[in-house]
Amino acid sequence: NAMEEADTEAAVTDRAEQNRRIYQQELTELKRSMSDDKEECITRFLQGEDTFRNRIVEKYLELVMERAVKYKNRSVLLEEVIAEGNLGLLTGMEVIAGNRGRYLGEGGRPDMDAFVETLDREITQAMESYIDGMTEEKDWESTVLARTNLLHEAAKYMTEEIGRVPTREELSEYTKISLTEIEQIMGLSEDARRVAEPS
């Protein structure tokens, strides 16, 4: 069973790596196919030509990829981090579109540092929010599992000690887990049992 899990994990990792390579290859080809100047596209977009938005987004997909690779060894799928980064890139473009004047410097040229900094910030923020959310979810699952095990062991011990199954109130007093939380955990267990053993 552990070997099957390891094989499945390796297959997922291989698939993620293949997807990353394909994505990187597509970005490289996209970069070659775009002959127009990045700064020119940004200038025209900042001057109000919204038709340049998609071309700019395409040009900065590589930035998403660069940022995503930093999270490669975290317990999240790289392609999901990339997807979140792409959403962050679109958010960054919205932020810039809402305040175009701030990104135009002297002589109507774009302030490239401010432009890229905004995109970078939104991309990174989107990725980190996603990773934090996934981590919190895993932490919550671990906590519930640990408390479920504690309740199970406490109930077993107390049954032997007092010669009967303890009440929820007695379990709460013994384990110092609130009655509400015990009821929630028991509710989750009952739901899981219903799913596992359909009538």
Side-chain angles (χ1 to χ4, degrees), residues 79-133:
E79 55 253 36
E80 289 178 12
V81 176
I82 291 168
E84 292 300 318
N86 288 342
L87 291 175
L89 174 58
L90 295 175
T91 303
M93 288 300 292
E94 287 299 316
V95 168
I96 291 166
N99 197 1
R100 295 176 204 243
R102 179 178 169 251
Y103 298 92
L104 278 172
E106 288 180 29
R109 301 305 307 159
D111 180 344
M112 292 299 288
D113 289 342
F115 191 92
V116 174
E117 190 179 299
T118 298
L119 294 183
D120 197 4
R121 182 184 66 239
E122 295 299 330
I123 289 165
T124 303
Q125 197 171 314
M127 289 176 177
E128 289 184 353
S129 293
Y130 169 74
I131 291 166
D132 288 347

Side-chain angles (χ1 to χ4, degrees), residues 54 121 132 151 160 164 174:
N54 289 344
R121 182 184 66 239
D132 288 347
L151 284 173
E160 288 172 13
R164 64 175 169 78
Y174 181 77

